[in-house]
Amino acid sequence: VQLVESGGGSVQAGGSLTLSCTTPYLSGAGRMTWFRQAPGKEREGVASMSVNGVPTYADLTNGRFRISKDITKNILSLVMHNLKPEDTAMYYCAAGPVMPYQWSQGDKYPYWGKGTQVTVS
């Protein structure tokens, strides 16, 4: 499963960004999740979408982020509003047959993209 992220960039605090993750066969990719990793920090799960379209969010999103998927376009999206400097990180898309209670455990995902950088100043 090939995953390609895009949409990262530099924004001011309070701004918005939309990240996209494309894959040739999104409906067969399993659970899809956005992770992020800031320099010197551990990777953390941000938001996840089940095969059936059920979203799950980490507390850190605090209602600011929204995950969605468009099967017809093979795109997983993460819309981020009210960005804060602490949201600065490399954001990764991951996919695989992961159980709901394991959604934030990165080692459970066999497929990863290369990431897209988000910088909030």
Side-chain angles (χ1 to χ4, degrees):
V1 176
Q2 181 182 14
L3 304 172
V4 180
E5 303 95 335
S6 62
S10 297
V11 296
Q12 292 186 340
S16 300
L17 280 175
T18 297
L19 306 184
S20 296
C21 174
T22 59
T23 180
Y25 187 44
L26 185 143
S27 62
R31 171 172 294 276
M32 297 190 72
T33 298
W34 287 99
F35 287 85
R36 72 184 189 186
Q37 187 166 21
K41 295 187 177 181
E42 292 189 356
R43 180 176 58 197
E44 57 185 350
V46 176
S48 184
M49 179 69 76
S50 74
V51 171
N52 295 326
V54 177
T56 302
Y57 297 95
D59 291 343
L60 63 90
T61 62
N62 198 23
R64 300 179 296 128
F65 297 178
R66 180 176 181 273
I67 189 172
S68 64
K69 66 179 179 180
D70 186 334
I71 295 176
T72 63
K73 297 181 180 179
N74 289 317
I75 294 177
L76 176 78
S77 298
L78 183 68
V79 178
M80 304 185 293
H81 295 300
N82 191 22
L83 284 163
K84 304 175 182 180
E86 51 264 43
D87 294 317
T88 295
M90 184 70 80
Y91 284 70
Y92 299 91
C93 176
V98 179
M99 299 298 290
Y101 65 93
Q102 297 175 320
W103 78 266
S104 63
Q105 299 176 33
D107 60 343
K108 302 299 183 185
Y109 292 81
Y111 308 110
W112 288 82
K114 294 182 178 180
T116 186
Q117 177 69 38
V118 172
T119 303
V120 186
S121 59

